[in-house]
Amino acid sequence: MTATTLQPNTELAELSRPGASLAVDATAIAGRQSWAVAAEAGRTMDLAVPALLVEGVTKRFVVGRRKRPVTAIADVSLRLERGGTVGILGANGSGKSTLIRLVSGLLTLDQGRVEVFGHDVAREEMAVKRLINRVSVDAAFFKKLSPMENLLFAARLYGLDAGTAKRDAVVICERLGIARKRLGRPTEQMSRGMQQKVAIARALLTSPALLLLDEPTTGLDPRSKLDVQAFIEDVRARHDASIVLTTHDLEEADRLCERIAVLDNGRAVVQDTPDGLKRLVAEQGKPATLHSVFMTYTGRSLDEDVEEGEPDENDD
C-alpha cells in the first residue's frame, strides 16, 4: 500500500497567556534555570514557530549482534501548532511510544530533526526540557509515599512554591476524580488506574507548554477515562497547552484531537483532521469512521496486537 501523507493545517493557535509557567523535565533537573526564567523564556518565543516540528525522523534499534537493525520510526514528519492537539494512532509496535521518546529527548535521532518551540532537541536539550512534560503508561512513583508527597517532591524539583503547589495539586486531583482524603495514603495502595491519574496530575502541576501524553487513559475505567479526557480539554482551553496524544481509543482521538496521524510499521501513512480522514474513506465508499480510516490505511484493526516493530515490549 502506498503511504498517503496529507499536509497539516498551518492555522496558528494563541500562545500561552503572559505569566503562565512552563515545565522543567524531572529527568534532568540539575543545573537548570529556575521556573521563573523558563516562564520568561516562554513569553519571548516567536509566535510563528510551531509547538512541535518533526521532519524526516528515523530511529533504528540494534536487537542482536548478528541481526539487522529494527526500524521503529521511518521518515516520519508532522507539525503541531501552538495550542493544538495532535493524536498518534497505531497498533502495538507501530512506533507511537518511540516517537514520543524521541520528541522528549529520551532517545537519540538516527536521521531527521525535531524542534520544540523552535529549539532543536539534539542541540538544545536543556531548552527543550524546560518546555515539556511527559505522561507514559508506565509512570513511576515512590510507592511508599502518598500521592501528595510525590506531587510535592516533583514540585520542588521544578522550583514551584510549596504552598501554591499543594493547593494546585488538590484542585487538579479533585478535577481528575481523586478525592482529597486519598491524597495522604501510600501510592502503592491505589489501583493502577488511580496511579495513572496521579501521573497526569504530576505533569499538569508544572503547566508544560508541550504536554506529551503516551496512552494516558490506558487502564482506566470508563468513568475515570471520561474524567481525564474532560480535564485534558480543560487544560488545552484554559492554559493554551499544546498536546501530543498517543492512544488506542478511536473515540478518544476523535474527541480530543484536532489532527490525527496514523502510524503503521513506523511510518506515518496518513494525516489530517478527524473529519478530513473520514471524508477520505467516505469518498472511497467506505463508512465515515476512524475505524474505517485505520483499516483502510493499515490493513488491520486497531484492536490487533502487532508483534513486530519495536524491540521493547513496553514501547508501542
Side-chain angles (χ1 to χ4, degrees), residues 79-272:
R79 179 185 178 106
L80 171 62
E81 302 297 349
R82 295 168 188 257
T85 300
V86 62
I88 311 297
L89 289 180
N92 290 334
S94 61
K96 301 186 307 296
S97 292
T98 292
L99 184 58
I100 290 291
R101 292 173 184 175
L102 289 168
V103 171
S104 63
L106 295 175
L107 292 174
T108 57
L109 300 168
D110 289 332
Q111 292 176 230
R113 69 182 176 120
V114 175
E115 291 184 356
V116 174
F117 294 99
H119 297 287
D120 188 283
V121 296
R123 299 194 304 269
E124 302 173 86
E125 180 184 0
M126 297 300 105
V128 169
K129 289 185 180 297
R130 287 195 296 272
L131 299 169
I132 66 173
N133 211 326
R134 169 178 170 263
V135 176
S136 68
V137 70
D138 54 353
F141 297 97
F142 295 105
K143 300 290 187 178
K144 299 296 182 182
L145 298 183
S146 69
M148 181 57 76
E149 288 170 329
N150 272 285
L151 291 171
L152 292 180
F153 176 77
R156 287 195 296 271
L157 290 177
Y158 285 82
L160 301 178
D161 174 74
T164 301
K166 186 172 184 178
R167 290 192 297 272
D168 290 347
V170 171
V171 172
I172 292 172
C173 287
E174 289 185 338
R175 183 68 177 82
L176 288 168
I178 307 173
R180 185 177 306 203
K181 64 182 180 181
R182 303 195 67 175
L183 296 179
R185 301 176 186 175
T187 304
E188 64 184 358
Q189 294 179 9
M190 305 178 79
S191 67
R192 182 176 178 277
M194 196 62 71
Q195 289 183 22
Q196 184 69 357
K197 284 188 175 185
V198 176
I200 294 169
R202 182 173 59 187
L204 297 174
L205 185 62
T206 66
S207 300
L210 178 63
L211 183 59
L212 307 175
L213 300 176
D214 193 4
E215 299 187 34
T217 60
T218 296
L220 299 185
D221 61 82
R223 173 59 185 274
S224 295
K225 179 177 289 191
L226 290 175
D227 288 341
V228 171
Q229 291 172 352
F231 194 71
I232 291 172
E233 289 177 322
D234 187 59
V235 167
R236 183 180 62 186
R238 295 191 183 190
H239 303 287
D240 298 314
S242 305
I243 299 172
V244 179
L245 170 71
T246 75
T247 181
H248 285 91
D249 190 326
L250 293 170
E251 291 184 1
E252 180 172 271
D254 203 358
R255 172 179 176 177
L256 297 178
C257 301
E258 296 165 347
R259 298 193 62 80
I260 293 174
V262 177
L263 292 190
D264 185 41
N265 292 324
R267 295 185 178 276
V269 293
V270 67
Q271 296 183 51
D272 205 337

